[in-house]
Amino acid sequence: MEMNKRKIPFSPPDISELEIEEVAKALRSGWITTGPRTKELERRLAEFCHTSKVVCLNSATAAEELNLRVCGIEEGDEVIVPAYTYTASASAAIHCGAKVIFVDSQKDNCEMDYDKVAEAITEKTKAVVAVDLGGVICDYDKLYQAIESKKNL
């Protein structure tokens, strides 16, 4: 079954007055990182996700590195990353000591070439970093098929 191609607008941002007020409250509180508002957000997210603990980080880059570390990515492992992305996609893997394997984009768009993902997978591949870029969502079904085609390595 072919899924409808989804595109999330890259710009303009969708920011309401409520969000602006909340940012102003945070700035006025004197805490802009790990203060009481962050702890409240962590508590509420944990409740929403039905888990005992949530940790807020300062960036998606930090979150990606934490994800890789939690998954056990370490020196000698390979992590496949799209060639067309922000450098953070690769730097998180490098910080874990992994070797980055770049996969080029498809001929007519910025999505990574899923056939090339399958070709790049080796016995050392421990992760594939999917990137939704500029409002174009990764085709996760095709990516999973590419990974599944190599699962017996």
Side-chain angles (χ1 to χ4, degrees), residues 29-110:
S29 76
W31 289 91
I32 58 171
T33 56
T34 57
R37 292 177 64 86
T38 302
K39 295 303 175 195
E40 176 65 11
L41 176 61
E42 289 172 343
R43 186 195 65 72
R44 291 176 69 181
L45 282 171
E47 184 178 293
F48 180 80
C49 294
H50 306 287
T51 189
S52 62
K53 183 81 172 161
V54 167
V55 177
C56 291
L57 301 170
N58 71 325
S59 67
T61 306
E64 183 176 342
E65 182 178 339
L66 181 60
N67 284 333
L68 293 173
R69 289 186 185 280
V70 166
C71 289
I73 305 301
E74 56 190 19
E75 193 168 334
D77 294 337
E78 292 180 357
V79 175
I80 296 175
V81 175
Y84 186 67
T85 183
Y86 186 68
T87 58
S89 302
S91 67
I94 291 168
H95 288 178
C96 294
K99 178 181 179 184
V100 175
I101 306 298
F102 289 104
V103 171
D104 208 351
S105 301
Q106 297 175 33
K107 182 178 180 182
D108 297 322
N109 67 49
C110 64

